[in-house]
Every structure is written in C-alpha cells, then in structure tokens.
Amino acid sequence: MREKKRMYRSATDKKIAGLCGGLGDYFDIDPTIIRIIWLASVLGAGFGLLAYLIGWVVIPVEPQRV
C-alpha cells in the first residue's frame, strides 16, 4: 500500500519559512518556480502575502528524519 503524501514546510530548503520548498517537494517541481509565482501574486494581485502568512501558520514543519 502506498504511503499517503503529506504537505509540510521544508526544514532544509527555506528562505523565509520553508513554505515554497515544501510546496515544491509536494508537487514535485523546483521551489524556485513556486517562489516566482508567490512573488508575482504579491506584486500583481496582492493576495499572495496573506496566502503565504496563512500557509506559514497552517502547514506544519516536516518532521526530522533520523
């Protein structure tokens, strides 16, 4: 049985909170692309900052691997 994939903030690939690194890992794409999309949404529509802050609070940090 396949393990259920969970969304986490990255503990290693982070610039501010690790949200873009975690989303990139979850969707299997480069986190830089996620960061560019966030920046465009902040500068363009203005809702990106609020969405980032909500994601920062709601999405947990990935557990440490032993």
Side-chain angles (χ1 to χ4, degrees):
M1 185 172 188
R2 199 176 93 182
E3 186 178 329
K4 185 176 167 183
K5 194 171 189 178
R6 300 198 44 122
M7 185 179 297
Y8 293 109
R9 293 184 329 204
S10 177
T12 56
D13 184 16
K14 64 182 187 176
K15 300 293 181 192
I16 298 175
L19 187 61
C20 294
L23 288 173
D25 186 45
Y26 183 78
F27 291 114
D28 230 8
I29 59 175
D30 188 7
T32 304
I33 295 171
I34 302 287
R35 290 181 181 108
I36 291 170
I37 292 170
W38 279 114
L39 181 63
S41 67
V42 167
L43 297 177
F47 71 89
L49 183 61
L50 180 61
Y52 193 90
L53 292 174
I54 291 170
W56 191 347
V57 171
V58 173
I59 299 173
V61 177
E62 70 181 332
Q64 294 292 338
R65 297 177 188 163
V66 179

